[in-house]
Amino acid sequence: MPELTIGVLASGRGSNLQSILDAIGEGRLEARVAVVISDNREAMALERARSRGIPAFFVDYKAYPAKADYERVVVRLLNKYGVELVCLAGYMRIATPVLLDAFPNRILNIHPSLLPSFPGLHAQRQALDYGVRYSGCTVHFVDQGVDSGPIILQAVVPVLKDDTEETLSARILAEEHKIYVEAIRLYQRGCLEIEGRRVRIKDIDENK
Ligand code: GRF
């Protein structure tokens, strides 16, 4: 299987980016992060990339009157670095058709809830407030909606009696780091097939 060229879009801390880089470094993922792009100049994700010698760019969406123009710059950078798969990792913007059409079925996202429950912002707080007994995280293909694309992998964690948003988020984050890497590995190996809303995982389903 050829090495996969990944571009990561991130707005903040970048721990999912870090787990992808660690998996590559440890030989668990046959991939290369070719570029990291952020809409936040201060994003720690940019620092993490630069410290590894990975090209990292801040693109200021406020500098572009139309969101499509901002995204055209992002797409140009992704193409310049030969990106095959775009991984959104804590990226706070909704993709428009500019990005979606440039990378059809080639954009993944990680979300800290068991979708379709609790899409959007503050998913962990939403889960606590609702009173669910279990929450978790989801890796999905990105479509034009908010956290609404076909689901690839999910992981479940319990919600404990004394959980705060912080403790629940930390428990979920540990699972995010595992399933995002696993979903990228499945993509890289050509195991993912989208059938309507459903994603068929070939090497798992075919051994049943
Ligand atoms: C994660 O919880 C992810 O699921 C959500 O934003 C957070 C990003 O964390 N989309 P990090 O920047 O990867 O540390």
Side-chain angles (χ1 to χ4, degrees):
M1 285 285 164
E3 189 183 72
L4 179 70
T5 304
I6 297 174
V8 174
L9 305 191
S11 299
R13 180 178 55 184
S15 72
N16 277 287
L17 165 67
Q18 189 66 53
S19 76
I20 294 167
L21 293 172
D22 290 347
I24 293 170
E26 291 161 16
R28 290 183 281 121
L29 199 56
E30 286 179 67
R32 184 172 71 90
V33 175
V35 63
V36 173
I37 302 169
S38 182
D39 59 334
N40 171 13
R41 192 193 303 272
E42 310 295 331
M44 213 209 291
L46 291 175
E47 282 312 307
R48 292 185 199 261
R50 287 183 187 127
S51 72
R52 297 226 181 178
I54 297 167
F57 298 92
F58 160 59
V59 182
D60 186 3
Y61 69 95
K62 290 193 198 118
Y64 301 92
K67 190 169 180 199
D69 292 329
Y70 157 78
E71 267 192 4
R72 274 187 204 102
V73 176
V74 171
V75 166
R76 211 174 304 138
L77 277 171
L78 293 169
N79 283 329
K80 178 176 168 198
Y81 286 91
V83 168
E84 297 165 293
L85 179 71
V86 180
C87 293
L88 310 188
Y91 183 61
M92 302 304 284
R93 319 223 140 256
I94 311 295
T96 76
V98 173
L99 184 61
L100 294 168
D101 293 349
F103 293 91
N105 294 336
R106 291 195 289 139
I107 309 174
L108 307 187
N109 183 42
I110 177 97
H111 182 76
S113 77
L114 294 174
L115 292 171
S117 293
F118 315 128
L121 294 176
H122 308 300
Q124 302 94 332
R125 194 192 308 158
Q126 290 186 57
L128 273 181
D129 290 349
Y130 198 92
V132 293
R133 300 287 182 198
Y134 293 90
S135 190
C137 48
T138 304
V139 182
H140 62 93
F141 283 102
V142 173
D143 66 8
Q144 65 294 335
V146 177
D147 303 319
S148 59
I151 289 170
I152 302 168
L153 292 176
Q154 295 186 301
V156 179
V157 306
V159 178
L160 304 180
K161 185 163 52 76
D162 297 323
D163 262 340
T164 61
E165 193 178 346
E166 287 69 35
T167 58
L168 178 59
S169 298
R171 193 174 308 119
I172 292 172
L173 192 64
E175 298 304 314
E176 292 185 34
H177 295 162
K178 294 180 202 159
I179 67 167
Y180 212 175
V181 166
E182 178 59 11
I184 296 168
R185 199 181 67 85
L186 290 168
Y187 181 94
Q188 183 260 333
R189 292 169 60 204
C191 295
L192 303 180
E193 259 175 31
I194 301 177
E195 294 171 353
R197 265 223 59 86
R198 299 177 69 166
V199 177
R200 199 161 75 91
I201 300 178
K202 283 195 284 181
D203 67 343
I204 293 179
D205 293 351
E206 268 151 28
N207 290 333
K208 275 186 184 162

